[in-house]
Amino acid sequence: QYALGYCFLKLGEKPQAEQIFQQILDTYGDRAIWHVVFAGAYRESNNTEDAIREFRRALAIDATVDHAHFYLAVTLLEQNHWAQTEESMAEFRAAVKQFPRDYYANFYLGAGESQAKAFAESNQHLKVAAELQPNAPEIWQFLGLNAFQESNYEEAKTYLLKAVALTGDDEAQNAYQIRRAYIALGRIAFMAGNKEEAEKYIKRAKEMQAKSLAVSADVIAD
């Protein structure tokens, strides 16, 4: 039944999918887990508003249903073009409270707190994420940028260079996000009086910025 409903959604035939999902509720009971499952189907078929509605319904029935807080937060984040909102941050906090050692919940919460300049809280959650997946360059980049904004330049340089090393040749990931590390490294080198090193980092950042803009232009054109 679920697979059939999912196929209807992928074909853009939402009324038929909703009929199938209601049959599931009628047969097996109006349980939180079903609404999480339906929300996933809506999310994967780009029915974002419906996905958010179903995640909220699931949590209204059972606030402890597995991973609903996290996926609601991510869906809200996607809906808002990856800019955090009060609701998405609240849901990430609830997700971490429910699963304190969940990598993704800690990473997304830490990243959001970094953007809000809540650096102590951000570092706390990012370091939990780093313990769980130490080879993820984005964690070290956020930690480095946090340290940079707190004027802790030695620590920032250590973290940022680790992010660069872990990124390796895969510089295109997340729209060349590593360019932010190069910008900060350039500024650190400039403040330390090392103009040659600063220019090297800034040159790399400019090259990646140009590539990132080209990718964005292609996406817009598509």
Side-chain angles (χ1 to χ4, degrees), residues 141-161:
Q141 177 165 302
F142 272 109
L143 285 168
L145 293 174
N146 284 357
F148 177 81
Q149 291 183 80
E150 293 181 292
S151 301
N152 189 346
Y153 299 125
E154 282 300 318
E155 187 174 82
K157 185 174 182 179
T158 298
Y159 286 145
L160 293 169
L161 287 175

Side-chain angles (χ1 to χ4, degrees), residues 45-193:
S45 56
N46 297 317
N47 290 283
T48 304
E49 289 289 345
D50 297 295
I52 290 171
R53 182 196 68 234
E54 291 298 323
F55 281 129
R56 286 172 175 161
R57 282 183 180 174
L59 290 167
I61 295 170
D62 180 4
T64 66
V65 63
D66 281 1
H67 302 296
H69 288 293
F70 174 77
Y71 282 111
L72 173 56
V74 172
T75 309
L76 289 166
L77 198 59
E78 292 171 340
Q79 183 190 48
N80 201 41
H81 306 287
W82 298 99
Q84 292 282 7
T85 64
E86 289 186 11
E87 185 181 7
S88 64
M89 287 296 290
E91 293 300 329
F92 280 128
R93 283 191 287 269
V96 169
K97 184 177 180 180
Q98 186 178 16
F99 298 105
R101 299 288 293 174
D102 183 271
Y103 165 75
Y104 290 105
N106 277 283
F107 172 72
Y108 277 103
L109 180 56
E113 290 165 336
S114 175
Q115 293 165 4
K117 301 189 183 302
F119 298 124
E121 296 86 347
S122 173
N123 290 336
Q124 176 187 346
H125 294 116
L126 289 171
K127 286 177 180 178
V128 172
E131 291 174 10
L132 297 166
Q133 291 198 25
N135 294 324
E138 56 270 20
I139 301 172
W140 303 105
Q141 177 165 302
F142 272 109
L143 285 168
L145 293 174
N146 284 357
F148 177 81
Q149 291 183 80
E150 293 181 292
S151 301
N152 189 346
Y153 299 125
E154 282 300 318
E155 187 174 82
K157 185 174 182 179
T158 298
Y159 286 145
L160 293 169
L161 287 175
K162 187 165 186 174
V164 169
L166 288 170
T167 297
D169 295 330
D170 191 17
E171 294 176 336
Q173 62 179 289
N174 295 330
Y176 294 90
Q177 66 172 6
I178 197 63
R179 71 187 185 279
R180 297 179 62 202
Y182 280 106
I183 292 169
L185 285 166
R187 293 177 67 182
I188 292 169
F190 183 79
M191 288 185 287

